[in-house]
Coordinates of all heavy atoms in Angstrom, one line a residue:
I137 N 96.5 -45.5 -100.8 CA 96.9 -44.2 -101.3 C 95.7 -43.3 -101.2 O 94.6 -43.6 -101.8 CB 97.4 -44.2 -102.7 CG1 98.8 -45.0 -102.7 CG2 97.5 -42.9 -103.3 CD1 99.4 -45.0 -104.1
N138 N 95.7 -42.3 -100.4 CA 94.6 -41.4 -100.1 C 94.4 -40.3 -101.2 O 95.3 -40.0 -101.9 CB 94.8 -40.6 -98.8 CG 95.0 -41.6 -97.6 OD1 94.5 -42.7 -97.6 ND2 95.7 -41.2 -96.6
H139 N 93.2 -39.8 -101.2 CA 92.9 -38.7 -102.1 C 92.4 -37.5 -101.3 O 92.3 -36.4 -101.8 CB 91.8 -39.1 -103.1 CG 92.3 -40.2 -104.1 ND1 93.1 -39.8 -105.1 CD2 92.0 -41.5 -104.2 CE1 93.4 -40.9 -105.8 NE2 92.7 -41.9 -105.3
D140 N 92.3 -37.7 -100.0 CA 91.9 -36.6 -99.1 C 93.0 -36.4 -98.1 O 93.6 -37.4 -97.7 CB 90.6 -36.9 -98.4 CG 89.4 -37.0 -99.4 OD1 89.3 -36.1 -100.3 OD2 88.6 -37.9 -99.2
T141 N 93.3 -35.2 -97.7 CA 94.4 -34.9 -96.8 C 93.9 -33.9 -95.7 O 92.9 -33.3 -95.8 CB 95.6 -34.3 -97.5 OG1 95.1 -33.1 -98.1 CG2 96.1 -35.2 -98.5
F142 N 94.8 -33.8 -94.7 CA 94.5 -32.7 -93.7 C 95.1 -31.4 -94.3 O 95.8 -31.4 -95.3 CB 95.2 -33.0 -92.4 CG 94.7 -34.2 -91.7 CD1 95.2 -35.4 -91.8 CD2 93.6 -34.1 -90.9 CE1 94.6 -36.5 -91.2 CE2 93.0 -35.1 -90.3 CZ 93.5 -36.4 -90.3
E143 N 94.9 -30.3 -93.6 CA 95.4 -29.0 -94.2 C 96.8 -28.8 -93.8 O 97.5 -28.1 -94.6 CB 94.6 -27.9 -93.5 CG 93.1 -27.8 -94.1 CD 92.4 -26.6 -93.5 OE1 93.0 -25.8 -92.8 OE2 91.2 -26.5 -93.8
N144 N 97.3 -29.4 -92.7 CA 98.7 -29.2 -92.3 C 99.4 -30.4 -91.9 O 98.8 -31.3 -91.3 CB 98.7 -28.1 -91.1 CG 98.0 -26.8 -91.5 OD1 98.6 -26.1 -92.3 ND2 96.9 -26.5 -90.8
Y145 N 100.7 -30.4 -92.3 CA 101.6 -31.5 -91.9 C 102.9 -30.9 -91.4 O 103.3 -29.8 -91.7 CB 101.9 -32.4 -93.1 CG 100.7 -33.2 -93.6 CD1 99.7 -32.6 -94.4 CD2 100.4 -34.5 -93.1 CE1 98.6 -33.3 -94.9 CE2 99.3 -35.2 -93.6 CZ 98.4 -34.6 -94.4 OH 97.3 -35.3 -94.9
D146 N 103.6 -31.7 -90.5 CA 104.9 -31.3 -90.0 C 106.0 -31.4 -91.1 O 106.9 -30.7 -91.1 CB 105.3 -32.1 -88.8 CG 104.3 -32.1 -87.7 OD1 103.7 -31.0 -87.5 OD2 104.1 -33.1 -87.0
L147 N 105.8 -32.4 -92.0 CA 106.8 -32.7 -93.0 C 106.1 -33.2 -94.2 O 105.2 -34.1 -94.2 CB 107.7 -33.8 -92.4 CG 108.7 -34.4 -93.4 CD1 109.7 -33.4 -93.9 CD2 109.4 -35.6 -92.7
A148 N 106.5 -32.7 -95.4 CA 106.0 -33.3 -96.7 C 107.2 -33.9 -97.4 O 108.3 -33.3 -97.6 CB 105.4 -32.2 -97.6
I149 N 107.1 -35.2 -97.8 CA 108.1 -35.8 -98.6 C 107.6 -36.1 -100.0 O 106.5 -36.8 -100.2 CB 108.5 -37.2 -97.9 CG1 108.9 -37.0 -96.4 CG2 109.6 -37.9 -98.7 CD1 109.2 -38.3 -95.7
V150 N 108.3 -35.5 -100.9 CA 107.8 -35.6 -102.4 C 108.7 -36.6 -103.1 O 110.0 -36.5 -103.1 CB 107.8 -34.3 -103.1 CG1 107.3 -34.4 -104.5 CG2 107.0 -33.3 -102.3
L151 N 108.1 -37.6 -103.6 CA 108.9 -38.7 -104.3 C 108.7 -38.8 -105.8 O 107.6 -38.6 -106.3 CB 108.6 -40.1 -103.7 CG 108.7 -40.2 -102.2 CD1 108.2 -41.6 -101.8 CD2 110.2 -40.1 -101.8
D152 N 109.8 -39.0 -106.6 CA 109.7 -39.3 -108.0 C 109.1 -38.1 -108.8 O 108.5 -38.4 -109.8 CB 108.9 -40.6 -108.2 CG 109.2 -41.3 -109.5 OD1 110.4 -41.3 -109.9 OD2 108.3 -41.8 -110.2
C153 N 109.3 -36.9 -108.3 CA 108.8 -35.7 -109.0 C 109.8 -34.7 -109.4 O 110.5 -34.2 -108.5 CB 107.7 -35.0 -108.2 SG 106.2 -35.9 -107.9
P154 N 110.0 -34.4 -110.6 CA 111.1 -33.4 -111.0 C 110.7 -32.0 -110.6 O 111.6 -31.1 -110.4 CB 111.2 -33.5 -112.5 CG 109.9 -34.1 -112.9 CD 109.4 -35.0 -111.8
N155 N 109.4 -31.7 -110.4 CA 109.0 -30.4 -109.9 C 107.7 -30.5 -109.1 O 107.0 -31.6 -109.2 CB 108.8 -29.4 -111.1 CG 107.9 -30.0 -112.2 OD1 106.8 -30.3 -112.0 ND2 108.4 -30.2 -113.4
L156 N 107.3 -29.5 -108.4 CA 106.1 -29.6 -107.6 C 104.8 -29.6 -108.4 O 103.8 -30.2 -107.9 CB 106.0 -28.4 -106.6 CG 106.8 -28.5 -105.3 CD1 106.7 -27.2 -104.5 CD2 106.2 -29.7 -104.5
A157 N 104.8 -29.1 -109.6 CA 103.7 -29.2 -110.5 C 103.2 -30.6 -110.7 O 102.0 -30.8 -110.9 CB 103.9 -28.4 -111.8
R158 N 104.1 -31.5 -110.7 CA 103.8 -32.9 -111.0 C 103.0 -33.6 -109.8 O 102.5 -34.7 -109.9 CB 105.1 -33.7 -111.2 CG 105.7 -33.4 -112.6 CD 105.0 -34.1 -113.7 NE 105.4 -35.5 -113.8 CZ 104.5 -36.5 -114.0 NH1 103.2 -36.3 -114.0 NH2 104.9 -37.7 -114.1
T159 N 102.9 -32.9 -108.7 CA 102.1 -33.4 -107.6 C 100.6 -33.1 -107.7 O 99.8 -33.5 -106.9 CB 102.6 -32.9 -106.2 OG1 102.5 -31.5 -106.2 CG2 104.0 -33.3 -106.0
G160 N 100.2 -32.3 -108.7 CA 98.9 -32.0 -109.0 C 98.2 -31.2 -107.9 O 98.7 -30.1 -107.4
K161 N 97.0 -31.7 -107.4 CA 96.2 -31.0 -106.5 C 96.9 -30.8 -105.0 O 96.4 -30.1 -104.2 CB 94.9 -31.6 -106.3 CG 94.9 -32.9 -105.7 CD 93.4 -33.5 -105.6 CE 93.3 -34.8 -104.9 NZ 91.9 -35.3 -104.9
Y162 N 98.0 -31.5 -104.8 CA 98.6 -31.5 -103.5 C 99.7 -30.5 -103.4 O 100.3 -30.3 -102.3 CB 99.2 -32.9 -103.2 CG 98.1 -33.9 -103.1 CD1 98.0 -34.9 -104.1 CD2 97.2 -34.0 -102.1 CE1 97.0 -35.9 -104.1 CE2 96.2 -34.9 -102.1 CZ 96.1 -35.9 -103.1 OH 95.1 -36.8 -103.0
Q163 N 99.9 -29.7 -104.4 CA 101.0 -28.7 -104.5 C 100.9 -27.7 -103.3 O 101.9 -27.5 -102.6 CB 101.1 -28.0 -105.8 CG 102.3 -27.1 -106.0 CD 102.4 -26.5 -107.3 OE1 101.8 -27.0 -108.3 NE2 103.3 -25.5 -107.5
E164 N 99.8 -27.1 -103.1 CA 99.6 -26.1 -102.2 C 99.8 -26.7 -100.7 O 100.4 -26.0 -99.9 CB 98.2 -25.5 -102.3 CG 98.0 -24.3 -101.3 CD 96.7 -23.6 -101.5 OE1 96.0 -23.9 -102.5 OE2 96.3 -22.8 -100.7
I165 N 99.3 -27.8 -100.5 CA 99.4 -28.4 -99.1 C 101.0 -28.7 -98.9 O 101.4 -28.5 -97.7 CB 98.7 -29.8 -99.0 CG1 97.2 -29.5 -99.2 CG2 98.9 -30.5 -97.8 CD1 96.3 -30.7 -99.3
I166 N 101.7 -29.2 -99.9 CA 103.1 -29.4 -99.7 C 103.8 -28.1 -99.4 O 104.7 -28.0 -98.5 CB 103.7 -30.0 -101.0 CG1 103.1 -31.5 -101.2 CG2 105.2 -30.1 -101.0 CD1 103.4 -32.0 -102.6
Q167 N 103.5 -27.1 -100.2 CA 104.1 -25.7 -100.0 C 103.9 -25.2 -98.6 O 104.7 -24.3 -98.1 CB 103.7 -24.8 -101.1 CG 104.3 -25.2 -102.4 CD 103.7 -24.3 -103.6 OE1 102.6 -24.0 -103.6 NE2 104.6 -23.9 -104.4

């Protein structure tokens, strides 16, 4: 499980989260 990411992805899959805020620091990258 990484803690660093790239700036852009073709697809973001969010699992087990009722809202985007629960993804913490990854929210902007997902959006």
